[in-house]
Amino acid sequence: MADCSRDDIRDLLPDLVHDQLEPEARARVEQHLAGCAECAAELDLLRAMRATAFATPDVDVDRIAAAVLDAMSAHGAPAARDDGGDDGGDDIVVSISAASQRSRGRTLTGAHAASAAHRARPRPARRPIPHHLRIAAAIALVAAGAGGYALTRTGPDSPLLPARHTAVAESGPAPSGTTREMSAQSGAAKAGAPVAAAPMAARDVAVAADSGADAPAPGHGHLILGDAVNELSESDMQALLQSVDDLQAMPDLEPHQLPLLASIVEGAL
Amino acid sequence: MPEPTTATDEPEDAVLVARCRAGDERAATALVRRFAPSVARFVASLGERQEVEEVVQDTFVRAFASLDGFRGESSLGSWLFAIARNLVRDRVRGRASRYQVVPIEEGHAVTGHDALDAAVSDETERRLGEALDLLSPMQREVFTLRVSEGLSYREIASVVGSTDGAARVHYHNAMRAIKEFIDG
């Protein structure tokens, strides 16, 4: 297939394929094509390539549009309007730019067109945490820190080591000389029985929320927190609760997920 | 490239862009529907066949996120092609692999050319695909944008970061290479 010397005509052949020529240019090209076998063959080749070699991949345009809109709305773009006005446009650009910044450096993955939108979707607002659960979380946080501190202070030979058994003192007067030790796994109370396989958080901390609980006997090392919490001033408590709220890693607390902790705290209060 | 719109047809690109800037989601949807097939074809021609839809989606997300950066000096289509091209290149770099060209499958034929499809033999179709595979990446990009999408040399230059003249040379070199392959 030879090349015609009329490059000016050949340059316009793709435009003819796409029907993008002005009438005058189109007439000029078609007039040339009538007498030029090379250009006619090249035109056929271009049409054949457009028809076969540049096939449209199988993509779901509607799904793409929906995912793009989700990504836009996820970052504060205002609702659709039909007036075509441009007021507020700057706000949109800013908010969408934030989406772009977050998505920079990543690519939308595999067959997760929907998940891409899901990732871009705004995270639901955190539900307010009930006050008693916030207090419970605060107590658990303080207990974990204090427990870790206590264990750090004790060496492997320390008599406090047995304290890794979970021990939670019930509110109210406890029977003299008794301490309820509870398996954090089953929640079942076993008086005086050491728990060998309790999770670490429960294993390392023993909370006696009632000030009337017996002082830990030597060798048990129970951590008494009840009075310490009760002695916090209102402002200190608020600061403590705020610090708990600010913890990004703190999961949303659901009442049904923490019945044991809730009952303990309610009892302590 | 989508067919040009007329005054009595759908809104022009610039109108839709303005509405999209104003937060009109229907305008954004219209733009996606108008350009997604073209962008998908271009993405596929670059060798990205497995995750075309994801690249197209990411292209529009990024485009709409930076609409203020689109000054209208080039067509919206060429701007989208440039974004898609960069995304494909990023993905290729990320994979630390070469372009993976997947053979054209029969079901990919453009539906608007059924009559012509019938006239083109399977052998010719296969050879046309092979001819494209032989082009350099730049020749392939330029040839695709010119033949498949109907972009002008100026628009192609803006997409591939070249000049009008260089784009024209790449096109004619690609055309010559394809002819030689077909004739050979």
Side-chain angles (χ1 to χ4, degrees):
Chain A
M1 191 183 301
D3 286 343
C4 173
S5 59
R6 291 287 303 274
D7 284 347
D8 61 321
I9 296 294
R10 294 179 60 214
D11 274 337
L12 296 178
L13 293 180
D15 296 320
L16 182 62
V17 170
H18 286 269
D19 197 19
Q20 294 178 157
L21 291 177
E22 298 294 331
E24 182 182 349
R26 182 186 182 92
R28 181 159 50 92
V29 171
E30 288 180 340
Q31 183 180 7
H32 175 80
L33 285 170
C36 179
E38 291 83 2
C39 283
E42 185 167 319
L43 180 65
D44 287 343
L45 177 60
L46 290 173
R47 283 180 168 152
M49 295 207 70
R50 189 190 179 205
T52 60
F54 298 115
T56 302
D58 184 18
V59 295
D60 189 335
V61 175
D62 288 336
R63 186 166 59 188
I64 292 173
V68 171
L69 292 181
D70 278 351
M72 291 174 64
S73 61
H75 297 279
R81 293 178 300 184
D82 277 330
D83 56 7
D86 59 357
D87 52 320
D90 290 343
D91 293 337
I92 300 161
V93 168
V94 170
S95 60
I96 298 177
S97 294
S100 177
Q101 290 292 331
R102 293 183 191 184
S103 64
R104 199 176 304 282
R106 69 167 175 80
T107 53
L108 304 181
T109 55
H112 301 295
S115 69
H118 176 76
R119 287 196 301 274
R121 200 167 290 146
R123 302 177 71 179
R126 294 177 65 182
R127 271 172 280 189
I129 301 173
H131 189 68
H132 67 280
L133 291 180
R134 296 167 68 199
I135 294 176
I139 292 172
L141 189 66
V142 172
Y149 175 76
L151 289 179
T152 302
R153 289 284 301 264
T154 59
D157 299 330
S158 169
L160 292 181
L161 275 180
R164 67 172 187 253
H165 302 155
T166 300
V168 178
E170 290 183 327
S171 62
S176 177
T178 65
T179 300
R180 288 286 182 90
E181 297 194 15
M182 306 175 71
S183 164
Q185 291 178 320
S186 64
K190 297 179 180 179
V195 180
M200 186 170 184
R203 195 173 62 211
D204 293 343
V205 179
V207 178
D210 186 87
S211 59
D214 292 341
H220 286 78
H222 291 179
L223 179 62
I224 307 301
L225 291 179
D227 284 343
V229 173
N230 290 337
E231 289 172 5
L232 285 175
S233 66
E234 183 64 23
S235 60
D236 288 340
M237 177 60 81
Q238 290 301 325
L240 180 60
L241 294 177
Q242 184 61 47
S243 66
V244 172
D245 282 344
D246 291 342
L247 288 176
Q248 296 298 317
M250 183 65 69
D252 291 338
L253 298 176
E254 295 288 349
H256 66 277
Q257 292 174 331
L258 295 170
L260 177 62
L261 186 56
S263 63
I264 293 169
V265 174
E266 286 172 351
L269 297 178
Chain B
M1 270 296 259
E3 298 299 322
T5 57
T6 64
T8 57
D9 204 345
E10 297 177 6
E12 293 183 356
D13 297 345
V15 173
L16 290 176
V17 168
R19 290 181 180 173
C20 191
R21 280 182 172 139
D24 187 342
E25 292 188 349
R26 274 163 285 198
T29 300
L31 287 174
V32 172
R33 288 183 174 149
R34 180 174 295 179
F35 285 100
S38 299
V39 175
R41 278 195 300 272
F42 179 58
V43 168
S45 76
L46 299 181
E48 179 59 76
R49 283 271 180 181
Q50 303 302 317
E51 297 177 340
V52 173
E53 191 163 312
E54 286 72 29
V55 175
V56 173
Q57 178 180 310
D58 213 5
T59 297
F60 282 100
V61 169
R62 294 197 181 202
F64 291 155
S66 55
L67 269 181
D68 56 341
F70 176 64
R71 297 182 295 275
E73 294 172 355
S74 62
S75 69
L76 181 65
S78 58
W79 188 56
L80 292 170
F81 288 136
I83 294 172
R85 179 176 183 264
N86 289 335
L87 286 173
V88 171
R89 290 193 160 207
D90 288 346
R91 293 166 82 91
V92 171
R93 285 196 205 100
R95 294 170 187 154
S97 62
R98 299 169 56 198
Y99 282 109
Q100 297 176 359
V101 179
V102 175
I104 303 296
E105 298 175 8
E106 287 187 21
H108 289 160
V110 177
T111 56
H113 299 267
D114 289 344
L116 185 58
D117 288 345
V120 177
S121 68
D122 290 344
E123 175 64 14
T124 301
E125 185 175 322
R126 182 182 62 80
R127 288 186 64 79
L128 291 178
E130 291 175 351
L132 274 182
D133 294 346
L134 294 177
L135 301 180
S136 70
M138 179 62 83
Q139 286 176 341
R140 169 187 281 267
E141 291 175 17
V142 170
F143 194 79
T144 298
L145 293 171
R146 184 76 182 119
V147 177
S148 176
E149 308 307 324
L151 264 62
S152 67
Y153 290 129
R154 173 169 296 183
E155 290 173 317
I156 293 170
S158 71
V159 173
V160 302
S162 178
T163 63
D164 302 11
R168 185 172 181 272
V169 169
H170 284 304
Y171 168 77
H172 283 288
N173 287 341
M175 191 76 244
R176 184 177 302 112
I178 290 171
K179 283 181 178 179
E180 290 175 358
F181 180 81
I182 297 296
D183 292 340

